[in-house]
């Protein structure tokens, strides 16, 4: 079989072997570090990929929206954390889900707690979102008074069951190297342990949940942490490769794009594949700020090659991509050929593409 | 009626009155300048919005993929230009569409012409893509030998019918001000007229098609041009407003997003609405390169306010957005409230959202 004959337009290829190996590796790390694994499913958003996790023993997940929780609940997942501060405008959906699965939601304000208590009919588990240095959402780990205040409201409520503290070290995605990830991670683990110590007498069963692919991919130091929630590791991508979170051959997805034009006077190859396929995320390839929208691989009958030198995806408009390359590279490809691109951010690319094609030519749908 | 009660999660509001006025204005300009209007439907991607054009007399369109051509052909559009260099891997679909509608495709290489001639059963119209300075696709307008070469192949073919020259001045989207747009546009019109003069004796009926929202929005100088293909004008967006292509009150779409957290210590409001809703396009708001991911408006029962001062959308992650604001702005909004955001690039935002909600609470689906 030659997978290439099935590819007519920009197509997101999924290497099931690499993907399954990534899942197994994360399960191994969780076991080794005595952690419960709650993978974040926002990266793949697919019931079928979810089954690959389930077959390896995973039985609880995180998602990033209530719609995603609903989709996976409909696909028989019984324990789901919606890892976003709760959206009070979706109270009906929260209530419906809380009535049929073990639903965990995130709170970080008194208003949210009051609304939930007043408007829910079913009981729901809550985590308090803790800010460990990313400064996007959550209460600072040092603000124990603020946390105690929320805990008092939760204790007094009849609908909310306190589960523990949840953090996301999003700043690890902006780290310069693995050392910086390790350093951030150590501080996060320390802060969360201190927090646990303060509140453990009141809540002996409180759990601490932490989740980011960089730290979960390279660290074995999770003392005091109960659960990890990485998501991106299922596919990885160029951002994680550059960060040092994965090896190149662990990247489990590649876009296959048809070549639609060539311009010899400027050594540029135009692909059918743009911002509506990849998203427009980029890495800076050098100190002059040259933008890298993806690295190039050769699409083969049964998969893709290692990254090819001599060219890179240098620009994206809505439907077109521009490959800048040297003359040898330029001459290797013809209009109508396919070229492969390892995406910068696989979560965003998968979200845009809406389905996968496995190397066995099976189409896998997403929500 | 209060539209806000229908909004539970990030929702793309569409003001039908503004949108219809934008369509009417472009139709008026086309008439005034003696141009045929072939609107690009990649911005809205909706059969229903298409009907608003049809009711005002539009009967031919441009699209950016063969799938989009198929969708609009299924919705009774009989004359469609696929404004991308032809993708040779979709020959079956080209042939199928060419058999049932007036299909116009773009060529810029001899290989493409040979493949089309060899593999198509039905006749198809072709435009030669001309590069007028954007340097993304097309043959340089000055390369009349190269163009003559392609024309000879087209003349010799039995399947391809030459229609004319097609250009897209994409560099107008990167202009610094309306003067630069006017200057680029004048040069483009001049170059295309020269080209027309060279080839008119061979092809007396050749058409010249030009299309970009900035020039089509502000220029009345289209001497010698036969057809315009703007797309974004149907909604406009912050990028066009900053370019000077539209007024603020011509922007016909706004995202309505729930507020999910507030952080008083840094005057930040967190919204449910991120890269998977907006795309991650941004404008640089000042000389220090501060990124602007959207401007803020107040969502009212029947629409939205002018842009509010005091805050802006400063960052996007996958599902979250961060609003930086002053204290007055901060105190005006509560968790659970809605806030409106005028998108940077409406084409990308609409593509991600997949549907619209009109101010009359009607849901409009996309392809």
């Amino acid at each position: 079989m030659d997978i290439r004959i099935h590819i007519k337009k920009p197509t997101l290829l999924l290497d099931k072997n690499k993907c399954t190996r990534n899942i197994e590796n994360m399960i191994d790390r969780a076991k080794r570090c005595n952690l419960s694994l709650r993978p974040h499913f926002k990266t793949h958003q697919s019931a079928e990929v979810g089954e690959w996790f389930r077959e390896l023993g995973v039985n609880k997940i995180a998602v990033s929206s209530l719609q995603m929780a609903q989709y996976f609940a409909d696909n028989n997942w019984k324990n789901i954390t919606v890892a976003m501060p709760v959206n009070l405008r979706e109270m009906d959906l929260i209530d419906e889900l809380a009535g049929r699965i073990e639903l965990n939601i995130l709170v970080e304000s008194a208003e949210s707690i009051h609304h939930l208590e007043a408007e829910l009919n079913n009981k729901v588990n809550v985590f308090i979102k803790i800010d460990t240095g990313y400064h996007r959402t959550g209460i600072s780990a040092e603000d124990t008074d603020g946390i105690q205040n929320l805990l008092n409201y939760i204790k007094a409520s009849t609908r909310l069951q306190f589960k523990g503290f949840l953090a996301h070290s999003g700043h690890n995605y902006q780290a310069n190297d693995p050392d910086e990830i390790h350093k951030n991670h150590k501080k996060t683990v320390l802060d969360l342990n201190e927090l646990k110590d303060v509140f453990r007498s009141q809540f002996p069963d409180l759990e601490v949940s932490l989740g980011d692919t960089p730290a979960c991919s390279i660290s074995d130091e999770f003392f005091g942490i109960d659960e990890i929630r990485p998501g991106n590791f299922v596919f990885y991508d160029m951002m994680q490769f550059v960060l040092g979170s994965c090896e190149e051959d662990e990247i489990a997805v590649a876009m296959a794009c048809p070549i639609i034009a060539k311009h010899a006077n400027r050594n540029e190859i135009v692909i059918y594949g743009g911002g509506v396929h990849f998203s427009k995320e980029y890495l800076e390839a050098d100190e002059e700020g040259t933008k890298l929208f993806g690295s190039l691989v050769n699409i083969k009958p049964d998969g893709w090659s290692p990254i090819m030198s001599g060219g890179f995806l240098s620009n994206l408009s809505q439907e077109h991509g521009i490959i800048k390359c040297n003359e040898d590279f330029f001459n290797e490809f013809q209009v109508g050929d396919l070229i492969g691109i390892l995406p910068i951010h696989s979560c965003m690319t998968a979200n845009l593409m809406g389905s996968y094609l496995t190397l066995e030519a099976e189409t896998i749908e997403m929500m």
Side-chain angles (χ1 to χ4, degrees), chain A:
Chain A
M1 212 231 10
D2 186 338
I3 190 66
R4 295 173 296 191
I5 60 171
H6 298 278
I7 303 170
K8 297 181 182 302
K9 56 190 170 76
T11 301
L12 187 56
L13 294 178
L14 170 53
D15 184 326
K16 186 177 173 178
N17 289 335
K18 288 181 183 174
C19 181
T20 309
R21 204 173 60 208
N22 292 342
I23 299 170
E24 287 168 343
N25 286 344
M26 196 56 80
I27 289 173
D28 286 350
R29 184 176 303 264
K31 280 192 186 137
R32 191 164 70 239
C33 300
N34 199 24
L35 294 162
S36 174
L37 174 64
R38 181 189 289 279
H40 204 313
F41 276 16
K42 76 173 177 180
T43 303
H44 61 77
Q45 297 182 42
S46 161
E48 185 160 345
V49 176
E51 293 308 314
W52 304 350
F53 281 88
R54 183 141 44 200
E55 284 161 18
L56 293 166
V58 171
N59 61 15
K60 54 186 191 168
I61 64 172
V63 298
S64 58
S65 71
L66 286 157
Q67 282 69 39
M68 220 182 279
Q70 190 174 33
Y71 168 80
F72 284 109
D74 292 345
N75 282 283
N76 215 27
W77 292 89
K78 300 293 187 196
N79 186 325
I80 302 180
T81 297
V82 183
M84 284 270 290
V86 61
N87 174 19
L88 300 178
R89 300 182 80 92
E90 292 183 285
M91 202 60 79
D92 292 351
L93 186 47
I94 297 167
D95 210 11
E96 189 266 316
L97 288 167
R100 63 176 166 127
I101 64 165
E102 186 92 356
L103 182 70
N104 312 298
I105 60 174
L106 265 54
V107 294
E108 59 166 275
S109 69
E111 300 106 284
S112 294
I113 293 168
H114 298 327
H115 275 278
L116 291 164
E117 172 65 8
E119 297 169 36
L120 286 181
N121 295 308
N122 292 296
K123 290 191 178 183
V124 67
N125 299 323
V126 295
F127 280 86
I128 292 180
K129 181 74 201 288
I130 302 297
D131 181 3
T132 54
Y134 185 33
H135 306 319
R136 182 177 64 178
T137 59
I139 306 189
S140 167
E142 289 152 24
D143 183 10
T144 50
D145 289 348
I147 293 168
Q148 183 66 62
N149 185 40
L150 293 190
L151 284 171
N152 293 341
Y153 289 125
I154 296 172
K155 273 199 256 188
S157 83
T158 60
R159 295 287 176 268
L160 308 187
Q161 175 74 36
F162 178 61
K163 287 292 282 186
F165 299 120
L166 184 145
H168 173 68
S169 295
H171 47 311
N172 279 341
Y173 292 80
Q174 284 135 30
N176 290 308
D177 53 42
D179 283 351
E180 193 176 333
I181 296 169
H182 282 297
K183 201 179 132 202
N184 288 342
H185 179 62
K186 271 184 192 163
K187 183 175 182 311
T188 296
V189 170
L190 204 69
D191 289 349
L192 291 172
N193 271 286
E194 281 180 16
L195 206 58
K196 203 173 180 179
D197 286 344
V198 173
F199 293 100
R200 192 153 30 187
S201 56
Q202 290 176 62
F203 299 96
D205 297 328
L206 83 79
E207 292 171 21
V208 170
S209 173
L210 182 60
D212 63 277
T213 281
C216 292
S217 294
I218 66 171
S219 178
D220 273 345
E221 298 184 34
F222 288 89
F223 176 80
I225 305 298
D226 301 287
E227 172 184 280
I228 53 170
R229 305 181 324 279
N232 177 281
F233 74 95
V234 65
F235 297 153
Y236 287 118
D237 52 33
M238 284 305 295
M239 202 186 293
Q240 295 305 315
F241 174 54
V242 168
L243 266 176
S245 309
C246 68
E247 302 296 327
E248 186 195 319
D249 72 357
E250 292 178 308
I251 299 176
V253 288
M255 286 284 288
C257 293
I259 291 173
I260 54 173
K262 291 179 67 184
H263 296 106
N265 58 335
R266 51 184 189 266
N267 279 341
E268 285 182 2
I269 295 173
V270 184
I271 59 167
Y272 176 17
V276 296
H277 307 102
F278 287 95
S279 90
K280 287 199 173 175
E281 303 222 30
Y282 58 85
L283 295 171
E284 293 194 350
D286 56 29
E287 290 182 356
E288 284 85 54
T290 304
K291 289 179 180 177
L292 173 80
F293 288 92
S295 289
L296 308 178
V297 296
N298 212 342
I299 303 292
K300 299 182 158 187
D302 61 347
W304 57 85
S305 74
I307 292 172
M308 294 185 285
S309 61
F312 67 104
L313 188 59
S314 68
N315 205 353
L316 289 176
S317 44
Q318 188 163 342
E319 308 265 357
H320 307 69
I322 304 289
I323 289 169
K324 279 200 187 296
C325 57
N326 63 28
E327 213 175 310
D328 285 348
F329 191 105
F330 184 86
N331 291 327
E332 220 174 291
F333 293 92
Q334 303 310 318
V335 171
D337 286 352
L338 290 174
I339 197 157
I341 294 106
L342 299 184
I344 301 299
H345 189 172
S346 59
C347 308
M348 297 289 284
T349 303
N351 178 67
L352 277 162
M353 293 301 294
S355 70
Y356 309 95
L357 184 68
T358 68
L359 302 180
E360 295 75 33
E362 183 201 358
T363 298
I364 295 186
E365 298 298 340
M366 293 168 66
M367 67 173 274

